[in-house]
Amino acid sequence: MAAEEKNGLLWPPLIKGRLVRRYKRFLADVQLENGQLVTAHCPNSGRMISCSEPGRPVYLSRANNPKRRLPYTWELIDMPSSLVGVNTIVPNRLVKKAIIEHQIPELDGYLIINSEVPYGQNSRIDLLLSNPEQEKRCYVEIKNCTLVEDGLAMFPDAVTSRGLKHLVELEKQVAEEQRGIIFFLIQRMDAQRFRPADHIDPAYGRQLRHARDHGVELVIYDVFIDTKRISIGHPLPASF
């Protein structure tokens, strides 16, 4: 897990290896440079299309907890056009820190930032932004995006009923005169634009368009990423 640092998050010491296979969603076999074969935790429930190719260089972190069943965590994969962050815990921490440091103009000006706040129908919002004595609050749902093809970033990379529910919940908040944001963080550096992955989950694409047309705002950023740190990058346009 990356540690906080001014202008982004620092990675823990990383151990280089080569991906043998990813399986059962949360497991990955990796051959380290010393020849040792280890099984690492894969903190990503998606299909990881375009960032789980066997034979590619990968980077693991190692936990200090001796009781942990899998001491290694898969953090990065080196694809031909970019390093890619695969840890889905990172985006929430990075976006929150970037908001605090005034690096995201679309979300600047809020004094209170709360994480994982219950709302809607048994849901939790990733970030709830507010100001004292102001009734209007900003609900921010953060999505990790790693699927990029020919410069086009797409989400989701697998059918997501949970993601669909989040869009509906955000739309309800907007209808109640709150502010709703769906924030797509692209954990790589080779995208120029974004659209929903209609060929993978057409229902999500339809709902995203419906939410956008009914006041839910889309904020899309890529990152700067290397083996030392990950930091917020540039805003990208939506092309749909």
Side-chain angles (χ1 to χ4, degrees):
M1 170 59 65
E4 290 194 6
E5 174 76 0
K6 186 173 177 61
N7 189 25
L9 304 173
L10 284 179
W11 298 112
L14 296 177
I15 302 164
K16 189 175 183 181
R18 195 164 296 276
L19 181 64
V20 176
R21 61 169 182 153
R22 184 239 184 169
Y23 57 104
K24 295 182 180 179
R25 289 201 301 176
F26 300 111
L27 299 176
D29 288 342
V30 174
Q31 186 171 30
L32 304 183
E33 289 189 309
N34 63 6
Q36 181 184 4
L37 185 66
V38 301
T39 299
H41 171 58
C42 175
N44 193 313
S45 62
R47 291 172 61 195
M48 293 176 59
I49 305 170
S50 81
C51 61
S52 59
E53 179 184 334
R56 299 299 308 173
V58 296
Y59 294 87
L60 313 179
S61 61
R62 179 163 186 150
N64 293 323
N65 183 359
K67 296 182 179 180
R68 183 170 150 171
R69 186 174 69 88
L70 295 175
Y72 294 97
T73 298
W74 182 8
E75 303 284 359
L76 303 170
I77 184 169
D78 192 353
M79 298 303 294
S81 54
S82 176
L83 280 169
V84 181
V86 303
N87 192 333
T88 58
I89 298 175
V90 169
N92 285 25
R93 294 184 61 214
L94 180 60
V95 171
K96 182 177 181 178
K97 192 166 186 295
I99 294 171
I100 292 171
E101 294 179 350
H102 309 289
Q103 295 176 339
I104 303 175
E106 298 93 333
L107 299 176
D108 207 6
Y110 292 97
L111 300 178
I112 302 171
I113 305 176
N114 292 311
S115 303
E116 294 292 323
V117 178
Y119 84 118
Q121 297 296 317
N122 299 316
S123 294
R124 287 182 178 269
I125 194 68
D126 290 323
L127 298 176
L128 180 60
L129 315 181
S130 59
N131 284 315
E133 301 179 359
Q134 289 185 6
E135 292 186 5
K136 190 168 186 176
R137 298 182 290 180
C138 181
Y139 292 76
V140 183
E141 182 67 33
I142 302 167
K143 298 299 182 187
N144 178 62
C145 179
T146 58
L147 174 56
V148 174
E149 295 178 358
D150 298 324
L152 178 63
M154 292 173 281
F155 183 90
D157 69 353
V159 174
T160 172
S161 58
R162 184 169 177 266
L164 199 68
K165 179 185 177 185
H166 290 157
L167 291 174
V168 173
E169 296 282 18
L170 284 175
E171 197 171 325
K172 288 179 181 178
Q173 295 303 319
V174 172
E176 295 174 4
E177 299 187 349
Q178 304 298 315
R179 191 179 178 201
I181 305 285
I182 183 79
F183 193 117
F184 294 100
L185 185 75
I186 303 163
Q187 268 207 90
R188 50 194 299 168
M189 300 184 294
D190 53 356
Q192 285 82 48
R193 62 197 191 285
F194 171 88
R195 72 164 173 80
D198 298 303
H199 62 297
I200 294 174
D201 191 346
Y204 185 88
R206 288 192 297 270
Q207 190 62 49
L208 181 60
R209 290 172 173 85
H210 188 275
R212 177 197 59 185
D213 294 344
H214 288 78
V216 174
E217 302 169 54
L218 275 63
V219 178
I220 307 157
Y221 274 76
D222 67 1
V223 297
F224 173 78
I225 188 170
D226 60 20
T227 56
K228 297 296 183 182
R229 77 172 66 228
I230 180 171
S231 57
I232 206 76
H234 306 94
L236 298 182
S239 60
F240 67 99

